[in-house]
Short mmCIF file of all heavy atoms in Angstrom, two decimals:
data_model
loop_
_atom_site.label_atom_id
_atom_site.label_comp_id
_atom_site.label_asym_id
_atom_site.label_seq_id
_atom_site.Cartn_x
_atom_site.Cartn_y
_atom_site.Cartn_z
N PRO A 76 158.64 -44.87 55.51
CA PRO A 76 160.15 -45.07 55.42
C PRO A 76 160.74 -44.51 54.17
O PRO A 76 160.15 -44.50 53.07
CB PRO A 76 160.10 -46.65 55.34
CG PRO A 76 158.76 -46.98 54.88
CD PRO A 76 157.83 -45.99 55.52
N ASP A 77 161.99 -44.08 54.39
CA ASP A 77 162.74 -43.52 53.22
C ASP A 77 163.14 -44.78 52.33
O ASP A 77 163.56 -45.78 52.78
CB ASP A 77 164.07 -42.96 53.85
CG ASP A 77 164.91 -42.38 52.77
OD1 ASP A 77 164.50 -42.31 51.62
OD2 ASP A 77 166.01 -42.12 53.09
N ASP A 78 162.76 -44.46 51.03
CA ASP A 78 162.87 -45.60 50.07
C ASP A 78 164.43 -45.78 49.68
O ASP A 78 164.82 -46.85 49.25
CB ASP A 78 162.09 -45.27 48.82
CG ASP A 78 161.65 -46.51 48.21
OD1 ASP A 78 161.75 -47.56 48.72
OD2 ASP A 78 160.98 -46.41 47.13
N GLY A 79 165.23 -44.74 49.97
CA GLY A 79 166.57 -44.82 49.45
C GLY A 79 167.52 -45.85 50.14
O GLY A 79 168.46 -46.27 49.52
N ARG A 80 167.20 -46.17 51.35
CA ARG A 80 168.13 -46.95 52.25
C ARG A 80 168.00 -48.43 52.05
O ARG A 80 168.69 -49.14 52.77
CB ARG A 80 167.96 -46.55 53.69
CG ARG A 80 168.09 -45.12 53.95
CD ARG A 80 168.17 -44.74 55.43
NE ARG A 80 169.19 -45.65 56.08
CZ ARG A 80 169.13 -45.93 57.37
NH1 ARG A 80 168.17 -45.51 58.10
NH2 ARG A 80 170.03 -46.71 57.92
N GLY A 81 167.22 -48.91 51.15
CA GLY A 81 167.10 -50.38 51.08
C GLY A 81 165.99 -50.93 51.96
O GLY A 81 165.71 -50.34 53.00
N PRO A 82 165.34 -51.98 51.50
CA PRO A 82 164.19 -52.52 52.27
C PRO A 82 164.45 -52.96 53.69
O PRO A 82 163.67 -52.78 54.58
CB PRO A 82 163.77 -53.54 51.32
CG PRO A 82 164.94 -53.97 50.56
CD PRO A 82 165.67 -52.83 50.37
N GLN A 83 165.63 -53.53 53.81
CA GLN A 83 165.88 -54.08 55.26
C GLN A 83 165.96 -53.05 56.20
O GLN A 83 165.45 -52.97 57.37
CB GLN A 83 167.01 -54.99 55.26
CG GLN A 83 167.24 -55.69 56.58
CD GLN A 83 168.08 -57.11 56.45
OE1 GLN A 83 168.30 -57.43 55.32
NE2 GLN A 83 168.43 -57.53 57.55
N GLU A 84 166.71 -52.03 55.83
CA GLU A 84 167.01 -50.86 56.73
C GLU A 84 165.79 -50.02 56.92
O GLU A 84 165.57 -49.42 58.05
CB GLU A 84 168.14 -49.95 56.10
CG GLU A 84 169.49 -50.52 56.06
CD GLU A 84 169.81 -51.29 57.39
OE1 GLU A 84 169.78 -50.61 58.39
OE2 GLU A 84 170.13 -52.57 57.41
N ALA A 85 164.95 -49.95 55.81
CA ALA A 85 163.67 -49.18 56.03
C ALA A 85 162.80 -49.94 57.00
O ALA A 85 162.19 -49.25 57.85
CB ALA A 85 162.95 -49.15 54.59
N LEU A 86 162.77 -51.13 57.02
CA LEU A 86 161.93 -51.92 57.91
C LEU A 86 162.41 -51.83 59.31
O LEU A 86 161.61 -51.48 60.32
CB LEU A 86 161.89 -53.45 57.56
CG LEU A 86 161.09 -54.45 58.48
CD1 LEU A 86 159.69 -53.95 58.48
CD2 LEU A 86 161.28 -55.84 58.06
N ARG A 87 163.68 -51.89 59.50
CA ARG A 87 164.33 -51.53 60.67
C ARG A 87 163.93 -50.25 61.35
O ARG A 87 163.71 -49.99 62.50
CB ARG A 87 165.91 -51.75 60.66
CG ARG A 87 166.60 -51.62 61.93
CD ARG A 87 168.18 -51.94 61.66
NE ARG A 87 168.30 -53.24 61.02
CZ ARG A 87 168.43 -54.25 61.77
NH1 ARG A 87 168.45 -54.35 63.09
NH2 ARG A 87 168.75 -55.47 61.14
N ASP A 88 164.06 -49.29 60.34
CA ASP A 88 163.77 -47.73 60.83
C ASP A 88 162.20 -47.67 61.34
O ASP A 88 162.02 -47.04 62.45
CB ASP A 88 164.04 -46.82 59.67
CG ASP A 88 165.39 -46.59 59.42
OD1 ASP A 88 166.19 -46.98 60.36
OD2 ASP A 88 165.81 -45.92 58.48
N VAL A 89 161.34 -48.26 60.60
CA VAL A 89 159.90 -48.12 60.94
C VAL A 89 159.74 -48.82 62.25
O VAL A 89 158.95 -48.20 63.21
CB VAL A 89 159.06 -48.79 59.83
CG1 VAL A 89 157.65 -48.81 60.32
CG2 VAL A 89 159.19 -48.01 58.67
N VAL A 90 160.34 -49.94 62.50
CA VAL A 90 160.17 -50.72 63.76
C VAL A 90 160.71 -49.85 64.81
O VAL A 90 160.12 -49.80 66.01
CB VAL A 90 160.79 -52.08 63.75
CG1 VAL A 90 160.63 -52.72 65.15
CG2 VAL A 90 160.01 -52.92 62.64
N ARG A 91 161.78 -49.28 64.65
CA ARG A 91 162.48 -48.39 65.68
C ARG A 91 161.53 -47.33 65.99
O ARG A 91 161.38 -46.90 67.20
CB ARG A 91 163.69 -47.87 65.17
CG ARG A 91 164.88 -48.80 65.29
CD ARG A 91 166.24 -48.12 64.83
NE ARG A 91 167.42 -48.93 64.93
CZ ARG A 91 168.73 -48.55 64.94
NH1 ARG A 91 168.85 -47.33 64.65
NH2 ARG A 91 169.68 -49.43 65.17
N CYS A 92 161.03 -46.64 64.99
CA CYS A 92 159.99 -45.42 65.28
C CYS A 92 158.87 -45.94 66.03
O CYS A 92 158.37 -45.18 66.95
CB CYS A 92 159.65 -44.87 64.00
SG CYS A 92 160.81 -43.74 63.25
N LEU A 93 158.29 -47.06 65.65
CA LEU A 93 157.10 -47.56 66.26
C LEU A 93 157.39 -47.96 67.74
O LEU A 93 156.60 -47.63 68.63
CB LEU A 93 156.68 -48.85 65.59
CG LEU A 93 155.24 -49.11 65.23
CD1 LEU A 93 154.48 -47.80 64.88
CD2 LEU A 93 155.09 -50.11 64.13
N VAL A 94 158.55 -48.66 68.01
CA VAL A 94 158.94 -48.98 69.36
C VAL A 94 159.09 -47.81 70.30
O VAL A 94 158.59 -47.60 71.34
CB VAL A 94 160.13 -49.88 69.42
CG1 VAL A 94 160.74 -50.00 70.78
CG2 VAL A 94 159.86 -51.21 68.71
N ARG A 95 159.77 -46.69 69.64
CA ARG A 95 159.95 -45.43 70.41
C ARG A 95 158.66 -44.82 70.66
O ARG A 95 158.42 -44.37 71.74
CB ARG A 95 160.90 -44.64 69.65
CG ARG A 95 162.33 -44.79 69.95
CD ARG A 95 163.19 -43.60 69.53
NE ARG A 95 163.18 -43.36 68.11
CZ ARG A 95 164.13 -43.73 67.29
NH1 ARG A 95 165.18 -44.18 67.79
NH2 ARG A 95 164.13 -43.58 65.94
N GLY A 96 157.83 -44.68 69.63
CA GLY A 96 156.42 -44.15 69.74
C GLY A 96 155.58 -44.72 70.74
O GLY A 96 155.02 -44.03 71.61
N MET A 97 155.64 -46.00 70.73
CA MET A 97 154.80 -46.78 71.64
C MET A 97 155.32 -46.71 73.11
O MET A 97 154.56 -46.89 74.04
CB MET A 97 154.71 -48.29 71.19
CG MET A 97 153.98 -48.54 69.92
SD MET A 97 152.29 -48.41 70.10
CE MET A 97 151.74 -48.44 68.32
N GLY A 98 156.60 -46.54 73.25
CA GLY A 98 157.25 -46.45 74.43
C GLY A 98 157.15 -45.02 75.12
O GLY A 98 157.42 -44.93 76.39
N GLN A 99 156.67 -44.15 74.35
CA GLN A 99 156.58 -42.73 74.91
C GLN A 99 155.30 -42.42 75.50
O GLN A 99 154.24 -42.88 75.14
CB GLN A 99 156.85 -41.66 73.78
CG GLN A 99 158.27 -41.42 73.57
CD GLN A 99 158.56 -40.51 72.36
OE1 GLN A 99 157.57 -40.34 71.58
NE2 GLN A 99 159.73 -40.08 72.05
N GLU A 100 155.33 -41.34 76.35
CA GLU A 100 154.08 -40.70 76.82
C GLU A 100 153.56 -39.86 75.67
O GLU A 100 154.26 -39.34 74.84
CB GLU A 100 154.39 -39.78 77.96
CG GLU A 100 155.03 -40.28 79.09
CD GLU A 100 154.04 -40.77 80.20
OE1 GLU A 100 152.93 -40.43 80.13
OE2 GLU A 100 154.56 -41.54 81.12
N PRO A 101 152.19 -39.77 75.46
CA PRO A 101 151.22 -40.59 76.30
C PRO A 101 150.78 -41.98 75.82
O PRO A 101 149.99 -42.49 76.30
CB PRO A 101 150.01 -39.61 76.21
CG PRO A 101 150.14 -39.08 74.77
CD PRO A 101 151.63 -38.86 74.50
N THR A 102 151.44 -42.29 74.71
CA THR A 102 150.96 -43.47 74.12
C THR A 102 151.08 -44.77 74.95
O THR A 102 150.09 -45.48 75.10
CB THR A 102 151.79 -43.77 72.69
OG1 THR A 102 151.81 -42.57 71.98
CG2 THR A 102 151.23 -45.02 72.02
#
Side-chain angles (χ1 to χ4, degrees):
Chain A
D77 180 12
D78 214 6
R80 302 191 51 203
Q83 184 156 352
E84 294 314 308
L86 179 61
R87 185 175 302 273
D88 283 350
V89 172
V90 173
R91 282 185 174 190
C92 279
L93 222 37
V94 167
R95 273 198 296 255
M97 294 285 173
Q99 272 174 355
E100 306 266 348
T102 308

